Amino acid sequence: MKRRVTAGLLTAAMMTMMLTGCAGSSGDKKESGKESYTIGIEQFAEHGSLDNCREGVLKGLESEGIVEGENLTIDYKNAAADMGTAGQISDSFVSDGVDMICAIATPAAQSAYNVAMDAEIPVIYTAVTDPVEAELADADGNAVGEVTGTSDKLPIKAQLEMIRNLLPNAKKIGIMYTTSEANSVSAIKEYKKLAGDYEFEIVEKGITATADIPLATDELLGEVDCITNLTDNTVVSSLATILEKAGEKKIPVFGSEIEQVKLGCLAAEGIDYISLGEQTGKMAAKVLKGEKKASEMKYEIITEPGFYVNTKVAENLGVEVPEELAKNAVESFHEISAE
């Protein structure tokens, strides 16, 4: 049974489409298994991990014989971390009658599905931390409609264990998050649940917009021994600001994936977002080819996190990376890259 998620509303463009019978209506629905496809890619914000997802999606599609410029047309739009813009993008894709919407990040996925569901355009998402919390899947992982994809659920237990190993005397971990992002709210709950097992206290700061980040960062840095990032799109988009302020106070910042470590986070137990995107692209290919409906596919996750460390940051902070951690790193970076 179809169910709208609570993060967005259908707009007037949807009603216009239904009344006028424009592209994307059931009468004009294109057959699966055709020779060429058009996909609308809706990315909620521009930062490294989401960009890597998009790259991975195209690789995954290509591995299944669906190649941009040959039998695939891509319409890419970025919402710049604005929900109103995300809604407009979703409307435009439905109005244009794309064969599929690929939504990158939770707010984009919620927006796309709310608008596309009545047009029966499948939505394949990636970088959605908790599809159940986002109301895109039920408690068993089943799709709530023609919507499925991949989760970038954080390996929070592994992250806490890693932070304890690197900072044996730390007591308080700061986390900044956007109160309207379901993925972040879900992650905060899990951090609080597990923190005590590692003798940590979680200090959280909720924000509503990018403009809140400088003050929230200053407040957080005055209360904690380190900061750990979520996959929060608004916060990650302003990571440079957070890193600069934390660096001045010699307070470590931990990332949630590889790109954040490149930019100056000390370390992360995270996932490879290109691999996550590839996994998503392969799922999308099955739907485009008519091999499966999105509603028949449970969402998928990458089960094994990897340890990433920036030895230059460790040196700057005077943090010693234990030999056992260092030798098991998937990748070590010895410089801080520019954003």
Side-chain angles (χ1 to χ4, degrees):
M1 180 172 139
K2 297 177 184 176
R3 184 172 74 219
R4 282 182 175 78
V5 300
T6 56
L9 297 172
L10 289 175
T11 61
M14 185 68 235
M15 183 61 71
T16 301
M17 186 201 74
M18 294 171 67
L19 292 173
T20 61
C22 66
S25 66
S26 58
D28 293 330
K29 197 71 178 171
K30 298 169 184 175
E31 295 296 324
S32 60
K34 64 177 188 172
E35 293 183 359
S36 62
Y37 311 92
T38 299
I39 294 178
I41 295 183
E42 178 172 350
Q43 185 170 319
F44 185 63
E46 186 172 356
H47 57 74
S49 57
L50 300 189
D51 293 342
N52 284 349
C53 276
R54 187 175 76 248
E55 179 184 341
V57 166
L58 296 179
K59 285 187 175 182
L61 287 165
E62 185 172 345
S63 71
E64 298 297 320
I66 301 176
V67 182
E68 185 179 12
E70 295 181 10
N71 59 350
L72 174 64
T73 299
I74 294 290
D75 187 357
Y76 167 69
K77 298 185 188 302
N78 193 299
D82 182 88
M83 278 304 302
T85 303
Q88 293 170 7
I89 292 170
S90 301
D91 281 337
S92 70
F93 285 157
V94 170
S95 181
D96 290 343
V98 297
D99 298 305
M100 172 184 288
I101 299 175
C102 177
I104 304 176
T106 303
Q110 292 174 314
S111 171
Y113 179 58
N114 275 334
V115 177
M117 60 187 298
D118 288 341
E120 298 185 355
I121 293 174
V123 174
I124 307 297
Y125 57 76
T126 188
V128 172
T129 300
D130 190 341
V132 177
E133 183 79 16
E135 300 180 23
L136 298 169
D138 65 21
D140 296 319
N142 299 304
V144 297
E146 295 306 323
V147 56
T148 190
T150 58
S151 165
D152 61 345
K153 180 175 172 57
L154 292 169
I156 292 173
K157 188 174 186 294
Q159 182 87 344
L160 287 167
E161 184 175 344
M162 178 267 292
I163 295 173
R164 176 52 73 206
N165 286 335
L166 285 170
L167 304 178
N169 299 317
K171 295 179 180 178
K172 294 184 178 182
I173 299 176
I175 303 178
M176 195 184 314
Y177 73 104
T178 307
T179 55
S180 61
E181 287 202 27
N183 51 311
S184 298
V185 173
S186 174
I188 286 283
K189 289 178 183 176
E190 189 169 354
Y191 261 109
K192 287 182 174 180
K193 179 181 177 181
L194 296 175
D197 295 345
Y198 299 90
E199 300 182 344
F200 285 124
E201 177 187 342
I202 300 299
V203 179
E204 62 185 275
K205 290 289 180 185
I207 63 163
T208 59
T210 303
D212 300 335
I213 289 176
L215 179 58
T217 302
D218 289 338
E219 292 176 349
L220 205 55
L221 290 171
E223 301 177 43
V224 302
D225 301 300
C226 66
I227 289 176
T228 190
N229 283 323
L230 308 177
T231 51
D232 187 293
N233 298 287
T234 305
V235 173
V236 174
S237 294
S238 297
L239 183 57
T241 298
I242 297 167
L243 288 171
E244 181 180 0
K245 288 178 174 291
E248 291 171 356
K249 295 183 177 293
K250 298 290 183 181
I251 292 179
V253 178
F254 292 92
S256 56
E257 47 83 33
I258 184 174
E259 295 298 330
Q260 294 175 28
V261 178
K262 287 181 183 178
L263 289 172
C265 287
L266 173 56
E269 283 283 352
I271 63 174
D272 183 333
Y273 274 81
I274 292 180
S275 294
L276 186 71
E278 286 189 63
Q279 192 172 342
T280 312
K282 290 176 181 179
M283 294 177 75
K286 288 181 181 179
V287 176
L288 288 171
K289 292 177 179 179
E291 296 172 1
K292 278 192 175 182
K293 290 186 175 182
S295 56
E296 298 171 343
M297 304 167 71
K298 289 187 174 184
Y299 74 84
E300 299 178 3
I301 61 173
I302 287 181
T303 55
E304 292 297 325
F307 174 62
Y308 302 93
V309 64
N310 192 312
T311 58
K312 180 63 176 176
V313 175
E315 178 186 329
N316 292 345
L317 294 171
V319 173
E320 183 176 347
V321 180
E323 184 180 347
E324 188 67 20
L325 270 178
K327 74 179 185 180
N328 289 322
V330 175
E331 199 162 353
S332 297
F333 304 97
H334 310 294
E335 61 182 11
I336 300 171
S337 66
E339 195 166 12

